[in-house]
Amino acid sequence: SNAVNLTDGLDGLAIGCVLITTLILGSVAYLAGHHEFSGYLRISYVPGAGELAVFCAALAGGSLVFLWHNAAPAEIYMGDVGALGIGGALGAVACLMHQPFLLAIVGGVFVLEGVSVILQVAYFKRTGGQRLFLMTPIHHHFQAIGWPSYKVTMRYWIFGIISALLGLTLALIG
């Protein structure tokens, strides 16, 4: 939940990654909720997971609308309450589908952001004040070395799509 909050630092960054993650989780929930599909694809059948797919579709639709107004230059902001709530919703969906590790792969951007903060704090404490990155979460490091914010956002979306496809592939062949 907090990793989504950490990612929410640039216009459109967090919500774009949430949209990608939600679409994959919703697809897997749809497949896991159908006995025939789950048996054919060897995904664990979860009775009632179809409702999670509907929830994910609603979250994806809301994310699209929010992205429309949050893309650079942002007209509205998500803030802590929205980011923590959405992160919690993604975690709840993954746990209710019995696929918590899928979220760690599909939400690779969120893992990267969280790990960058953990590494920065640990390195800072270990070395007595030196920094591993110029700033954390790591998307601010890329801004500090001169990348424009739209470039950081697009590259993170690309990384998010690659993570999502990797997670979907692993879920379907696992």
Side-chain angles (χ1 to χ4, degrees):
S1 182
N2 193 45
V4 175
N5 191 30
L6 293 173
T7 308
D8 186 31
L10 297 176
D11 295 344
L13 178 62
I15 200 63
C17 295
V18 164
L19 179 61
I20 294 164
T21 303
T22 303
L23 290 172
I24 296 300
L25 287 178
S27 300
V28 173
Y30 178 77
L31 295 171
H34 289 287
H35 190 66
E36 298 83 22
F37 293 153
S38 63
Y40 179 73
L41 296 171
R42 290 181 274 144
I43 299 173
S44 62
Y45 173 67
V46 180
E51 285 79 6
L52 292 174
V54 172
F55 175 78
C56 287
L59 183 58
S63 297
L64 268 176
V65 171
F66 183 78
L67 181 59
W68 183 267
H69 297 284
N70 187 246
E75 299 166 13
I76 57 174
Y77 301 101
M78 188 181 314
D80 292 347
V81 173
L84 289 168
I86 289 172
L90 292 175
V93 167
C95 288
L96 289 170
M97 288 188 331
H98 309 293
Q99 298 279 348
F101 296 112
L102 178 64
L103 179 58
I105 298 168
V106 172
V109 169
F110 307 127
V111 173
L112 173 70
E113 292 284 289
V115 168
S116 73
V117 172
I118 292 168
L119 289 175
Q120 180 84 321
V121 170
Y123 190 80
F124 187 84
K125 287 181 178 181
R126 184 72 119 151
T127 61
Q130 294 179 341
R131 298 181 185 276
L132 187 59
F133 305 108
L134 295 176
M135 293 177 73
T136 55
I138 198 166
H139 64 265
H140 290 307
H141 170 81
F142 293 124
Q143 279 187 297
I145 62 172
W147 289 15
S149 61
Y150 68 86
K151 186 175 188 176
V152 175
T153 300
M154 291 300 116
R155 297 240 170 122
Y156 269 57
W157 286 2
I158 292 168
F159 179 67
I161 291 169
I162 292 169
S163 296
L165 293 176
L166 175 66
L168 182 63
T169 303
L170 291 174
L172 295 179
I173 65 169

